[in-house]
Amino acid sequence: VALYMLILFCIAQYKKGIIEDCRDIILIILSGVLYILPMLLLNYVVQRNDLTEKGTYTILLYAFLTALLPGALVNIHILIASTFVLLGLFNILRLRDEKHIKAKVFNASLCIGVATIAYFWSLSFIIFVYLGVLYFEPKNYRNWIIPVLGVLTVYLFANCFTLFFHDSF
């Protein structure tokens, strides 16, 4: 499956155009890692939480679905966002053991907030954080406020960064 994904990634990069300098080569290598990493993370999440039987059908489906949108393979922002969204969904699935729920909800919303910096429409995945809170512990009202605080924390740090380095808001 990884070989199929690597070939698909190389074809998408070839169709993108010619490499001009060393910076482009580093970005392509980083994009390749960010394309393969979610596949490995998805396999870990599925096997750890016993979502399906043992096998590679999940990662094969992931590879086939990414083949449908080859334009996303050349955009590093989408690859970064997909990695962080998958990390956020992993934290939501970890709510099942009912330990440290507030920390896991905060981590999930932080990951989705970082994904939002890379690609704005990743913010829509915050709905899954609320669905996880609704499913696992709906009576504690503090858990409903934590996702907002996580996204606002990322927003605050992003604004501090731009104010410090770019002198703009």
Side-chain angles (χ1 to χ4, degrees):
V1 175
L3 183 64
Y4 167 73
M5 290 175 69
L6 187 63
I7 291 170
L8 181 68
F9 181 76
C10 290
I11 290 171
Q13 291 296 330
Y14 178 74
K15 287 186 176 185
K16 178 183 171 186
I18 299 171
I19 300 170
E20 294 180 6
D21 59 353
C22 184
R23 181 179 176 268
D24 291 337
I25 294 172
I26 292 171
L27 267 164
I28 288 173
I29 292 171
L30 181 64
S31 296
V33 169
L34 287 174
Y35 179 52
I36 300 292
L37 183 70
M39 184 254 321
L40 297 173
L41 185 63
L42 179 68
N43 189 32
Y44 175 73
V45 168
V46 167
Q47 287 182 358
R48 182 167 187 253
N49 294 313
D50 294 327
L51 298 178
T52 62
E53 295 178 10
K54 301 288 184 196
T56 59
Y57 294 118
T58 307
I59 57 174
L60 188 63
L61 181 64
Y62 174 78
F64 286 150
L65 289 176
T66 56
L68 293 175
L69 299 169
L73 300 179
V74 295
N75 191 346
I76 193 164
H77 300 290
I78 293 175
L79 293 172
I80 291 170
S82 69
T83 303
F84 279 104
V85 164
L86 198 55
L87 282 171
L89 294 176
F90 174 63
N91 281 318
I92 293 168
L93 285 174
R94 287 181 43 206
L95 289 172
R96 282 194 326 190
D97 63 5
E98 297 180 359
K99 295 178 184 174
H100 311 291
I101 288 182
K102 290 176 182 49
K104 291 174 186 173
V105 169
F106 186 73
N107 286 342
S109 60
L110 263 170
C111 289
I112 291 174
V114 172
T116 302
I117 290 176
Y119 188 72
F120 177 74
W121 291 107
S122 299
L123 186 61
S124 61
F125 282 94
I126 202 77
I127 292 169
F128 290 113
V129 177
Y130 283 111
L131 288 175
V133 169
L134 178 69
Y135 185 74
F136 292 111
E137 193 174 336
K139 293 180 182 177
N140 192 350
Y141 69 91
R142 293 180 193 157
N143 291 342
W144 294 94
I145 300 170
I146 293 172
V148 175
L149 294 176
V151 172
L152 285 177
T153 302
V154 172
Y155 176 74
L156 177 73
F157 281 129
N159 279 327
C160 289
F161 178 81
T162 56
L163 282 172
F164 188 70
F165 286 106
H166 302 292
D167 197 25
S168 67
F169 182 72

